[in-house]
Amino acid sequence: MKFLKALNSVVNNKCPRCHEGDVFKDKNPYRLKNLYQMHAHCSHCNLHYEREPGFFFGAMFVSYALAAGWFMVWYIIQNLFLNLDTLEFAVGLVISIVIMSPLSLRWSRLIWMNFFFAFDEKLAKGNGPKHPVNSAV
Ligand SMILES: [Zn+2]
């Protein structure tokens, strides 16, 4: 269940602690001029998203894991359905990674945040006033 709650936060661009406030200002990751624009704090629980300077540097490792996971999925798809030669496989992989990179960037940051901020049921929908404390973990 904890995994599903974190997945809900990641897929829906929601604060990892309350699942109410948006993390990124624009919900569409493919509007590239707004790709990196994040809210500093959660509008619902006031969680400060960037715990420390350079906090999102660690999201780079998550992004790498997502790309590696996609490589495996692409490999399985290619073996089961497409039967491409090596060059076609590589070109398809690169094109698909480039197309998914805005989504990967956002998901990697949201996954990274979910490693450090636990979901708090008390702060979820309709529970209590805005929370001024910025507690981590
Ligand atoms: Zn929140």
Side-chain angles (χ1 to χ4, degrees):
M1 275 328 255
K2 192 174 179 181
F3 171 76
L4 291 178
K5 287 181 191 276
L7 187 64
N8 174 46
S9 163
V10 170
V11 172
N12 293 317
N13 180 32
K14 294 297 180 188
C15 166
R17 191 164 70 178
C18 68
H19 293 188
E20 291 296 318
D22 289 338
V23 174
F24 288 93
K25 291 181 179 176
D26 192 340
K27 286 185 181 267
N28 184 352
Y30 289 96
R31 284 194 197 113
L32 298 180
K33 71 176 187 176
N34 301 330
L35 181 62
Y36 291 97
Q37 294 185 355
M38 299 174 64
H39 294 285
H41 297 86
C42 174
S43 61
H44 184 75
C45 71
N46 204 28
L47 173 70
H48 184 63
Y49 293 136
E50 190 171 8
R51 281 177 70 164
E52 58 199 13
F55 173 68
F56 291 111
F57 177 76
M60 185 177 67
F61 300 106
V62 177
S63 179
Y64 177 79
L66 289 174
W70 173 246
F71 173 84
M72 287 187 266
V73 169
W74 180 244
Y75 182 78
I76 291 168
I77 290 171
Q78 154 345 93
N79 268 344
L80 292 179
F81 305 111
L82 303 176
N83 292 322
L84 303 172
D85 66 33
T86 305
L87 181 62
E88 292 169 335
F89 172 78
V91 169
L93 179 66
V94 169
I95 289 171
S96 63
I97 285 179
V98 167
I99 289 171
M100 290 189 303
S101 61
L103 196 59
S104 173
L105 180 139
R106 290 195 167 191
W107 283 10
S108 61
R109 287 189 177 201
L110 287 159
I111 290 169
W112 186 248
M113 289 169 60
N114 272 278
F115 286 151
F116 295 94
F117 302 113
F119 176 63
D120 188 342
E121 195 82 42
K122 286 178 263 169
L123 293 172
K125 193 172 245 170
N127 290 338
K130 290 186 176 188
H131 198 281
V133 179
N134 184 19
S135 65
V137 183

